[in-house]
Amino acid sequence: MTLLAQRVKSTGKMGWSRATVLSPTSRAGLGPALATVDGLGGAIIAWPDDRTGTMNVYAQRVNHGGSICWPEGGVPLGATSASQGSGWKNTLQPDGKGGAILMWVGLQSGLPQMYAQRITRYGGTLWGAGGVRVAPSTNWQQLGTVVARPDGGAILAWSEFPNGFLAENDLFAAALSRDGTPAWPGGARVVSNASGGQVNVVGLPDGEGGAFLAWDDFRGLPSGRFALPHVF
C-alpha cells in the first residue's frame, strides 16, 4: 500500500497533474491518514507507519501545487501504538503559523497514553524528540480531540478508564503552551466523571483561547442511545 494525496478543485477537476506520493515505499503497515490545511494554500498530512519495524507517526506538508515541502517519506513525530481508535480523526489541527499540532496514542510501559507534537511549516518538531506526554497517568487513555490556541499551543481532550479498561471512562482536558509545556497550573482538568462514561469528544475554539467540547455521554442511559452535548 502506498499513501497518496490529491487536490480536487471546486469545479471537480483534479488540481494536480498526478497524485503526490507521501510514503514512497509500498508496505502493509500504513495506518489511516489525517489531513488539515496549513493556512498557506497547502495541506499537512499525518499517518502511522511501521517502516522501521515499529509503528511511528509521520507527517508531510504538500504545497498548493502538489509538491512535498519536507523530506521524502515525511518527518517522524513519535512512536505510536498499532491502533489509534476512532478518535484519531479529530487529532490533527493547524497551529495558525503554517504548521500543525497532532495528538496520538503511544505506549508507556504497555499502557496507552496521549502524546502530542507541534511541527512547524518547515518540518521542524518543536515539542522534543518523540513529542510530549499530554497528561501522564496510570490509567488507560483513549484519543479525543485537539483544539489549537492562537498562541501556538492547544487544548487537548481525551477519555480515561480509572477503573480499568472497558469500565466506565471519564473525560479530561489539558492545555499545552506553544513550547509543549503544561499551560494550566495543576495539569489536566476533569471535564466530566459522571456515571455511565463519556467518549467520542470533539472540540472547537471558543474565540477566547478556550474550547467548546461535546461528547457522547451515557449517564443513566443504555450505551449508545444518544449524545448529550456539553460546553467546556
Side-chain angles (χ1 to χ4, degrees), residues 4-33:
L4 304 175
Q6 178 60 273
R7 177 183 171 222
V8 181
K9 294 185 175 181
S10 60
T11 60
K13 294 182 178 180
M14 298 301 104
W16 305 330
S17 59
R18 59 183 179 181
T20 298
V21 177
L22 301 175
S23 186
T25 304
S26 297
R27 291 178 307 280
L30 289 172

Side-chain angles (χ1 to χ4, degrees), residues 98-178:
I101 297 170
L102 175 70
M103 180 169 67
W104 69 90
V105 176
L107 294 177
Q108 182 69 27
S109 300
L111 190 69
Q113 297 282 285
M114 296 301 99
Y115 287 78
Q117 181 64 270
R118 181 180 175 200
I119 189 166
T120 72
R121 61 185 291 185
Y122 304 108
T125 52
L126 295 179
W127 292 354
V132 296
R133 290 179 68 182
V134 175
S137 172
T138 57
N139 300 327
W140 185 297
Q141 296 181 335
Q142 185 178 44
L143 273 175
T145 193
V146 174
V147 178
R149 304 176 82 178
D151 62 1
I155 292 175
L156 309 98
W158 68 95
S159 295
E160 287 194 14
F161 298 84
N163 298 312
F165 184 56
L166 298 182
E168 291 183 359
N169 47 7
D170 299 332
L171 188 62
F172 292 81
L176 297 179
S177 63
R178 60 185 297 172

Side-chain angles (χ1 to χ4, degrees), residues 143-227:
L143 273 175
T145 193
V146 174
V147 178
R149 304 176 82 178
D151 62 1
I155 292 175
L156 309 98
W158 68 95
S159 295
E160 287 194 14
F161 298 84
N163 298 312
F165 184 56
L166 298 182
E168 291 183 359
N169 47 7
D170 299 332
L171 188 62
F172 292 81
L176 297 179
S177 63
R178 60 185 297 172
D179 62 0
T181 57
W184 292 341
R189 303 289 196 268
V190 177
V191 179
S192 178
N193 59 0
S195 63
Q198 295 80 43
V199 295
N200 301 326
V201 61
V202 294
L204 291 170
D206 69 355
E208 299 177 356
F212 295 110
L213 300 180
W215 63 90
D216 289 341
D217 193 302
F218 301 112
R219 62 187 80 184
L221 300 173
S223 179
R225 185 171 174 183
F226 64 84

Side-chain angles (χ1 to χ4, degrees), residues 5 16 20-22 38 41-45 60-70:
W16 305 330
T20 298
V21 177
L22 301 175
D38 63 5
I44 295 173
I45 300 98
Q60 180 60 266
R61 180 172 161 234
V62 183
N63 67 19
H64 186 269
S67 298
I68 60 173
C69 300
W70 300 339

